Amino acid sequence: MTVIALVGARRRVPLAAAACLLSFTAFWLAQRAADVSMIDLMVYRAEGETVRAGGDLYALRTTEAHLPTTYPPFAALLFTPLTLLDTADMRTLATLGNLLLLVAFAHLSLRLVGPVPGAGHARVETALWVSALAVWAEPVWTTLRYGQINLLLAFLVLWDLSRPPGRRWSGLGIGIAAAIKLTPALFAVFLLLTGAAEAVRRGRWQEPVRHACVAAVSFAGATLLAAALLPYDSRRFWSRMVFEAGRVGLPEDTANQSLRGVLARLLHTAEPGVWWAVAATAAGVLGLAVAVRAALRGERARAAVSCAATALLVSPVSWSHHWVWCVPMALLVWTEALRRGGRARWAATGAVVLVFCSYALWWVPHGVGRLELGQNYGEMTLSALYVGTAFAFLAQGAGQWIKPWRRNRSA
């Protein structure tokens, strides 16, 4: 029966590949028709040029928007090959690379989620169908529109978390991703906490702690390499720029789908201050608790997505294109609906897809003039959809934790 299923799956792969290629082609044409600037890709190229010229990386202001350098120096080192390409070729290769990363990311998400009911062994086929649909989700569309590296970072993290236990160099992807952009470092914290919880419960802590240590060593190695090659820029970043969240952009911008952005719009202030500190701390504790609990129960997909959602919530700025983790989130709630059924689970699946594919956060006043500070409650609700969805996802995970606890107490 397994052989028959595999043969059937392989016969369906060409159809899925054709549908994926058709969707990607339509996407490509739509982006060309929209005359996308790929502005962040141009910033990456300018960073690479500054490194090659020996300039001041954090004094850089480039493109018509005068955007600054915001990533650690190691990222700028990785961007130097972009200077060897002309602009047209660079944009084409970046788009192709992101589309391939989307397929790989969907494949890793399916590996983490586990077998999809009704799909048998057809993981490649399912990944192609998922990619054909996911490319139209707002975070993915915007990632490709700007020429961003979000899919690369998510792929590196998920490559680590989806590997079988005991594999050598597990943690390398998380460490490299954190050296490029700091937010993925929360996954190393999650692994350490999981190891500590494992030690208390079962005395088996080595695997997640080793995983976290490899991540820490790889992060340190990449950071020290950048410090050796770019000592002045490294000193400036780690002593000053890392603390200047305002360099990234206006916190109330509707594209900022973090707790800080939601609170800035809710309170009609550019700096929510202590309110954000309290809310971010509470969200961090809740999110990491849900992620660790899921990991202890063997629910690797829920653990990974819970940690990713937590990182995006507590970060000072989480642009909408950072939320490419909507792909494994949607896959997880979909497969749970397939396995367990129930109207609530199917409604949750539809809600997640609608939130990330509706582009509703852009239906509100935004842009020049700081219009977000004057949003009404309806508009603030639309511009907080990603944050609300993340909290609903974490609340569902917490609810699965509370139910057995209540049963045990009542017994």
Side-chain angles (χ1 to χ4, degrees):
M1 293 297 293
T2 300
V3 173
I4 294 174
L6 285 171
V7 171
R10 287 173 181 170
R11 288 178 177 174
R12 294 192 300 268
V13 166
L15 176 61
C20 186
L21 181 60
L22 180 63
S23 179
F24 282 3
T25 301
F27 172 87
W28 190 301
L29 294 174
Q31 291 240 319
R32 297 290 81 76
D35 193 25
V36 295
S37 63
M38 301 190 79
I39 191 170
D40 289 341
L41 182 64
M42 302 307 296
V43 174
Y44 301 157
R45 181 192 177 99
E47 291 180 24
E49 290 174 341
T50 302
V51 168
R52 292 188 63 184
D56 187 340
L57 191 59
Y58 295 100
L60 173 68
R61 292 280 177 168
T62 187
T63 72
E64 65 276 11
H66 302 289
L67 296 176
T69 301
T70 58
Y71 294 170
F74 179 70
L77 290 177
L78 298 183
F79 295 148
T80 53
L82 297 177
T83 63
L84 305 177
L85 303 169
D86 62 41
T87 301
D89 289 342
M90 179 182 66
R91 288 177 172 174
T92 299
L93 290 174
T95 302
L96 285 173
N98 266 326
L99 290 173
L100 291 174
L101 280 169
L102 175 60
V103 177
F105 186 51
H107 185 268
L108 291 180
S109 299
L110 288 165
R111 179 195 294 178
L112 204 63
V113 166
V116 177
H121 300 272
R123 186 181 291 160
V124 173
E125 176 200 359
T126 308
L128 290 169
W129 283 113
V130 168
S131 302
L133 298 173
V135 73
W136 299 99
E138 191 274 340
V140 178
W141 168 279
T142 314
T143 286
L144 275 86
R145 172 190 174 189
Y146 292 143
Q148 263 282 344
I149 58 171
N150 306 302
L151 286 167
L152 172 62
L153 299 178
F155 170 82
L156 287 172
V157 171
L158 213 54
W159 175 77
D160 264 351
L161 297 179
S162 63
R163 301 182 78 195
R167 290 298 178 93
R168 186 176 297 181
W169 302 115
S170 289
L172 179 65
I174 291 173
I176 297 299
I180 296 171
K181 188 174 182 178
L182 296 178
T183 309
L186 190 66
F187 284 94
V189 177
F190 151 69
L191 290 168
L192 281 175
L193 292 175
T194 302
E198 286 275 18
V200 171
R201 291 184 63 196
R202 306 170 187 170
R204 295 183 300 177
W205 53 268
Q206 293 92 338
E207 181 63 30
V209 171
R210 182 169 61 246
H211 198 161
C213 288
V214 173
V217 170
S218 56
F219 168 80
T223 302
L224 290 173
L225 173 63
L229 297 176
L230 302 170
Y232 174 73
D233 293 319
S234 294
R235 186 166 59 252
R236 286 196 70 197
F237 179 82
W238 294 108
S239 65
R240 178 182 170 187
M241 302 303 170
V242 70
F243 304 108
E244 296 185 359
R247 285 173 53 84
V248 180
L250 298 174
E252 75 273 10
D253 193 319
T254 193
N256 184 13
Q257 293 294 299
S258 72
L259 266 174
R260 183 166 173 252
V262 169
L263 287 172
R265 294 187 289 272
L266 178 64
L267 300 175
H268 304 294
T269 176
E271 188 46 67
V274 68
W275 293 105
W276 171 61
V278 172
T281 300
V285 171
L286 168 66
L288 286 172
V290 170
V292 170
R293 175 65 176 175
L296 295 177
R297 290 166 58 90
E299 300 173 357
R300 296 196 301 164
R302 181 167 291 277
V305 177
S306 296
C307 185
T310 303
L312 291 166
L313 286 172
V314 303
S315 175
V317 174
S318 294
W319 300 128
S320 67
H321 52 76
H322 295 164
W323 286 81
V324 293
W325 284 92
C326 68
V327 176
M329 181 186 288
L331 279 173
L332 178 59
V333 295
W334 172 58
T335 54
E336 287 185 347
L338 286 173
R339 290 167 184 159
R340 303 178 186 178
R343 292 181 180 178
R345 291 189 180 90
W346 282 112
T349 302
V352 171
V353 173
L354 182 63
V355 163
F356 290 106
C357 293
S358 65
Y359 297 68
L361 74 161
W362 299 111
W363 300 354
V364 303
H366 63 276
V368 179
R370 311 189 78 167
L371 302 176
E372 290 90 343
L373 292 178
Q375 289 181 358
N376 60 38
Y377 286 112
E379 293 164 344
M380 283 187 284
T381 299
L382 290 177
S383 63
L385 281 175
Y386 291 8
V387 171
T389 302
F391 270 118
F393 180 83
L394 293 176
Q396 182 195 25
Q400 292 179 359
W401 179 5
I402 292 171
K403 286 179 182 178
W405 178 76
R406 284 181 174 173
R407 284 197 297 266
N408 291 336
R409 286 200 64 182
S410 61

